[in-house]
Amino acid sequence: MKLVKTFDKKIEIGDFSFEKGLMIIAGPCSIENQEQMFQVCSFLEREKIPFLRAAAYKPRTSPYSFQGLGTSGLEIIKKIKQNFSIQVISEIVDLEHLNFYRQYVDVIQIGARNMQNFEILKALGKTDKPIILKRGFGNTIEEWLYAAEYLLASGNEKVILCERGIRTFEPMTRNTLDVGAIALVKTITKLPVIADPSHAAGRHDLVAPLTLAALAAGADGVMLEIHPSPSQSVSDREQALGFEDFSKLLKKIQTIGPLFTRDIIHSP
Ligand code: PEP
Ligand code: MN
């Protein structure tokens, strides 16, 4: 592991850079229809949140679960880009879609299940798009960093790591948010690390405390699942925050965020 250890470059996405503040990403688990996405975009605009998660393809454990809208979801992403000035984050599952993502998606997500899909890593390494690389729920920190190394070694320096919970013996949460991994990784690399407390917890009532814990451990941001009407969400409804709860959490983040400086976490 050569590159992740020595890497020290700033990532800029639109007007955002990690020096300026925390990366807060919000949006539904999956794109359901245009109205739902436009409602979320208008809300995020009001809250001055510049990053939207917008998934057209959903790698689901069961083949009988909602798989995402696919190409019609991509059409909705296009409409979002035409109507809002918001940075869109979307997971890629097939390199066949890469041209579309190059054109319309601002940050490409590699999901937990594809963290070690080396051909996807190599191909995205050849793009200049910022990449969010989620940690696989069964992967060690070293395997996660080697996956990041694939992107860096192929030439893409805009890698953002995302801790999204790992599988442990504990069944009362969906996954276990590995807060220690966030702090540890920040001693090894200067790549930004964000957390996904929604998929870690699997329960909306744990999203706020896990968000604050991740930030206290040094996370450079969080990705949160929100929905205009959580009980109607077609996927991951148990973990989705409604707009009001999300706004309350933002206030907490604004209060505690400045207490945790990155200098304290980085080792020399
Ligand atoms: C997601 O963020 O939409 C997702 C499927 O998460 P993960 O890959 O972490 O399970
Ligand atoms: Mn989800």
Side-chain angles (χ1 to χ4, degrees):
M1 205 181 298
K2 299 183 281 197
L3 299 170
V4 293
K5 285 189 179 161
T6 54
F7 187 84
D8 187 12
K9 205 160 174 209
K10 293 175 181 65
I11 301 176
E12 281 168 8
I13 307 164
D15 292 336
F16 172 85
S17 79
F18 287 94
E19 276 68 40
K20 288 188 193 156
L22 298 165
M23 183 184 206
I24 310 292
I25 305 164
C29 180
S30 37
I31 300 173
E32 295 168 16
N33 53 62
Q34 183 175 307
E35 193 198 344
Q36 165 227 26
M37 293 310 289
F38 278 25
Q39 265 180 288
V40 173
C41 291
S42 304
F43 169 67
L44 293 179
E45 242 175 28
R46 289 199 296 278
E47 288 287 3
K48 299 191 170 47
I49 298 296
F51 295 108
L52 170 78
R53 49 165 287 139
Y57 292 93
K58 298 302 305 172
R60 305 301 298 280
T61 301
S62 162
Y64 308 115
S65 303
F66 178 62
Q67 302 286 310
L69 292 184
T71 47
S72 51
L74 298 182
E75 287 306 311
I76 293 174
I77 292 180
K78 239 193 233 182
K79 294 255 172 61
I80 291 169
K81 291 304 292 178
Q82 285 158 0
N83 287 278
F84 296 88
S85 67
I86 198 155
Q87 308 285 330
V88 169
I89 285 105
S90 195
E91 173 169 356
I92 195 161
V93 294
D94 191 329
L95 290 175
E96 211 182 294
H97 310 137
L98 186 53
N99 273 344
F100 179 92
Y101 280 67
R102 273 209 175 101
Q103 226 179 318
Y104 296 103
V105 170
D106 301 288
V107 180
I108 303 179
Q109 178 172 320
I110 300 176
R113 290 157 191 80
N114 272 316
M115 188 203 87
Q116 284 187 312
N117 185 326
F118 299 112
E119 294 311 312
I120 287 189
L121 292 172
K122 283 188 257 180
L124 292 186
K126 294 196 187 89
T127 72
D128 64 354
K129 286 281 174 190
I131 308 290
I132 289 181
L133 177 64
K134 290 191 136 191
R135 178 182 179 188
F137 44 73
N139 286 108
T140 63
I141 294 170
E142 188 179 49
E143 288 164 345
W144 184 26
L145 294 181
Y146 269 126
E149 189 87 10
Y150 263 91
L151 292 164
L152 296 172
S154 303
N156 192 335
E157 304 183 324
K158 300 175 188 164
V159 180
I160 301 160
L161 298 165
C162 179
E163 161 58 39
R164 48 79 72 209
I166 53 172
R167 180 167 288 171
T168 66
F169 55 79
E170 178 51 64
M172 290 182 79
T173 49
R174 185 175 181 181
N175 294 279
T176 298
L177 183 70
D178 191 355
V179 176
I182 297 169
L184 175 63
V185 158
K186 294 194 69 79
T187 68
I188 299 171
T189 173
K190 287 185 179 168
L191 292 175
V193 187
I194 64 170
D196 172 353
S198 305
H199 287 94
R203 303 171 33 153
H204 63 88
D205 56 342
L206 297 185
V207 170
L210 292 187
T211 295
L212 302 180
L215 296 176
D220 298 290
V222 279
M223 178 190 278
L224 301 164
E225 285 192 345
I226 65 169
H227 195 281
S229 175
S231 63
Q232 307 297 311
S233 180
V234 298
S235 53
D236 288 352
R237 79 170 59 116
E238 307 77 18
Q239 68 201 34
L241 296 182
F243 290 172
E244 210 176 301
D245 284 343
F246 176 73
S247 298
K248 277 190 205 154
L249 177 53
L250 274 185
K251 289 206 178 74
K252 287 186 189 165
I253 293 172
Q254 274 149 8
T255 311
I256 72 144
L259 296 177
F260 305 113
T261 70
R262 292 178 185 127
D263 293 344
I264 295 168
I265 306 297
H266 274 157
S267 61

